[in-house]
Amino acid sequence: MDFAFAYDTLLTLLPAVPLTLLLAFNAILFGAVLALGLALCRISGLAILDWPARAYIFAFRGTPLLVQLFLIYYGLGQFPAVRHSILWPILREPYWCAVIALTLNTAAYASEIIRGGLLSVPHGQIEAAKACGMSRLLMARRIVLPLAIRQALPGYGNEMITMVKATSLASIITLMEITGVAAKLISETYRVMEVFIVAGALYLAINFVLTRLLALVERWLNPDARRRAQHPIAAAEEVTA
Amino acid sequence: MTRQSLLDLLSFGPDGWGTVLAWATLTTVLIALSGYAIGAVIGVVGAYAKVSGGRIARSLADAYTTVLRGIPDLLVIYLFYFGGSAVVTWVGRLMGAEGFVGFPGFLAGALAIGITSGAQQTEVLRGGFHAVAKGELEAAKACGMSRSLMARRIVAPLTLRHALPGLGNVWQVVLKESALVSVTGVVELMRQAQIGAGSTRLPFDFYLIAACIFLLISSISGFLFGRSEARLSRGVRRG
């Protein structure tokens, strides 16, 4: 392996990292909002909310992200109504099309993870909150959401890592994020191995940092487990006392 | 040009795209199946290394699954497509051929999917093995089974039973990943939809058709996986 060339490659690829991060961040952020809405529709028990959400999740989980991306980026432009609408300045941009496709895609997967988390909240906890006279909003904020998030976080973490990797598809619609720049470098230099290793290492580094952050959040959300790990004797005494 | 309806596009006649789309669907299924099969072989080897390998085999398998689950599939496809071409060109030059020799996209795609799904299948199979009750293995040993007989009669069927839901998920991922192989120029479903979209100027219709075909394949395979899960778990008492 040619280290001088690998170093040059790294310098070429580094400026592409912010775009990858931005795509992933936006998709995860907007996706989480949409996913929460979908999960609430699914558990609402109202057929009129439940079935559209089911159909959405089925469609977006059953088709490749690439098809969704192409439908939005190339497909929507087919309709004059879309081309003449006020949304066209957004739907014309590959960046926003990528963000929209990634958001819609991750929302479908994440909503099932959130739904699992919400369903895992023990019934007794909800009853206890009601018995204390909590309003629905207070109960959601103090009891249901913290417990649900704690339960859903490991699964959600996997989905976030999937999203970081999925941003690479944006290169197919001309966005120059890490994979886009890497593919361009490969086709210019034909030095596949070096470029692949450097680009792969960048993705691994991003995902490594992400998993570390998620582990920190998980620790923060599980104060009881943290206490047990730090002061096993004190925690045990507290239980027996 | 009069606007064709979706059904006209799908017709099998001389003006319709039905025939080429059917062939493209077959190619998609074949790419996904070959990638999945390669991944299954890697998965068995990797899971074996993780479960009962030595320290070196274990850390190699750990490195493999960590790396391959942390980098995008598209990058791996590029690696095999361009890397394969580089190797083939180099071999061609040794044999006296001139210039650039392309690597078949189908092979590159199947290998890339195999390598990435192999990492996922390794983890699924490892989890499946750990779910096998210890008593079953002890009982097999107590019956005096040899290691290979035990692997064939006890470990493999029981691991498969526990791993099947996870393997079904990996298959769904592989099926959708196969769409990425279109970047190598293989005329699978996605590439065919691109060709159709380009020549008719109806991208929305063609990508919608492709999406529906993917949905159909994944629904059918989901149904089949459900059936085999029921069959493999027929000896399990339902709580």
Side-chain angles (χ1 to χ4, degrees), chain B residues 31-107:
Chain B
I31 291 178
L33 277 179
S34 350
Y36 193 68
I38 296 171
V41 174
I42 297 176
V44 169
V45 174
Y48 182 79
K50 281 202 173 194
V51 168
S52 58
R55 201 194 305 162
I56 299 171
R58 245 197 346 258
S59 37
L60 276 178
D62 278 338
Y64 163 67
T65 50
T66 312
V67 169
L68 264 296
R69 290 191 309 167
I71 56 178
D73 320 321
L74 187 59
L75 208 57
V76 182
I77 291 177
Y78 282 138
L79 171 76
F80 276 88
Y81 184 54
F82 289 112
S85 300
V87 170
V88 173
T89 304
W90 181 73
V91 172
R93 200 166 295 153
L94 287 186
M95 315 259 268
E98 287 291 312
F100 179 77
V101 187
F103 192 67
F106 186 97
L107 193 58

Side-chain angles (χ1 to χ4, degrees), chain B residues 13-204:
Chain B
D15 295 330
W17 291 79
T19 319
V20 282
L21 281 170
W23 279 110
T25 306
L26 186 68
T27 312
T28 286
V29 173
L30 282 179
I31 291 178
L33 277 179
S34 350
Y36 193 68
I38 296 171
V41 174
I42 297 176
V44 169
V45 174
Y48 182 79
K50 281 202 173 194
V51 168
S52 58
R55 201 194 305 162
I56 299 171
R58 245 197 346 258
S59 37
L60 276 178
D62 278 338
Y64 163 67
T65 50
T66 312
V67 169
L68 264 296
R69 290 191 309 167
I71 56 178
D73 320 321
L74 187 59
L75 208 57
V76 182
I77 291 177
Y78 282 138
L79 171 76
F80 276 88
Y81 184 54
F82 289 112
S85 300
V87 170
V88 173
T89 304
W90 181 73
V91 172
R93 200 166 295 153
L94 287 186
M95 315 259 268
E98 287 291 312
F100 179 77
V101 187
F103 192 67
F106 186 97
L107 193 58
L111 283 173
I113 292 179
I115 295 273
T116 46
S117 80
Q120 296 159 14
Q121 297 198 46
T122 298
E123 292 298 331
V124 170
L125 288 174
R126 188 179 62 102
F129 176 79
H130 284 305
V132 175
K134 281 257 160 36
E136 309 246 22
L137 303 180
E138 273 168 20
K141 265 185 210 155
C143 289
M145 283 193 185
S146 71
R147 271 179 74 93
S148 64
L149 189 67
M150 193 167 106
R152 187 159 57 82
R153 286 227 187 119
I154 312 293
V155 177
L158 286 176
T159 302
L160 197 61
R161 174 197 287 171
H162 294 296
L164 204 59
L167 289 177
N169 287 342
V170 176
W171 163 254
Q172 301 283 2
V173 173
V174 162
L175 177 66
K176 285 175 266 169
E177 213 178 295
S178 75
L180 297 186
V181 179
S182 62
V183 297
T184 66
V186 180
V187 187
E188 43 68 78
L189 198 45
M190 207 51 215
R191 184 86 195 110
Q192 189 61 59
Q194 273 174 291
I195 295 169
S199 75
T200 58
R201 304 263 182 102
L202 294 173
F204 194 84

Side-chain angles (χ1 to χ4, degrees), chain A residues 202-230:
Chain A
L202 283 175
Y203 278 107
L204 276 181
I206 296 174
N207 282 331
F208 179 76
V209 173
L210 185 59
T211 38
R212 289 293 100 197
L213 285 176
L214 285 166
L216 278 180
V217 176
E218 213 174 318
R219 251 172 73 89
W220 174 66
L221 283 174
N222 288 296
D224 48 330
R226 190 171 60 217
R227 289 259 309 272
R228 268 200 306 278
Q230 278 170 355

Side-chain angles (χ1 to χ4, degrees), chain A residues 58 61-64 66-67 70-71 74-75 78-79 109 165 168-169 171-172 179 186 192 196 199-200 203-204 207, chain B residues 3 69-72 74 78-79 82-83 176 179-180 182-183 190 194 202-205 207-208 211 214-215 218-219:
Chain A
F58 174 69
R61 293 209 306 176
T63 54
L66 191 62
V67 176
F70 278 16
L71 264 176
Y74 297 111
Q78 179 183 324
F79 305 106
Y109 288 91
K165 298 196 289 174
S168 66
L169 296 203
S171 66
I172 300 178
T179 304
I186 290 175
V192 189
F196 172 78
Y203 278 107
L204 276 181
N207 282 331
Chain B
R3 197 182 178 292
R69 290 191 309 167
I71 56 178
L74 187 59
Y78 282 138
L79 171 76
F82 289 112
K176 285 175 266 169
L180 297 186
S182 62
V183 297
M190 207 51 215
Q194 273 174 291
L202 294 173
F204 194 84
D205 300 43
Y207 294 132
L208 194 64
F214 271 112
L215 214 50
S218 82
S219 304

Side-chain angles (χ1 to χ4, degrees), chain A residues 125-199:
Chain A
Q125 305 264 1
I126 296 172
E127 268 174 11
K130 272 187 196 153
C132 290
M134 283 193 186
S135 71
R136 278 178 70 96
L137 201 67
L138 189 69
M139 188 169 82
R141 189 161 60 82
R142 287 230 186 118
I143 311 293
V144 178
L145 278 181
L147 287 173
I149 290 172
R150 188 199 286 184
Q151 194 65 31
L153 196 69
Y156 212 115
N158 285 340
E159 178 56 26
M160 287 183 191
I161 289 167
T162 307
M163 266 303 111
V164 171
K165 298 196 289 174
T167 56
S168 66
L169 296 203
S171 66
I172 300 178
I173 55 167
T174 72
L175 281 181
M176 280 312 199
E177 40 66 78
I178 299 177
T179 304
V181 178
K184 185 163 164 276
L185 264 180
I186 290 175
S187 60
E188 281 169 7
T189 61
Y190 280 99
R191 301 175 74 161
V192 189
M193 220 44 209
E194 283 97 337
V195 178
F196 172 78
I197 288 173
V198 175

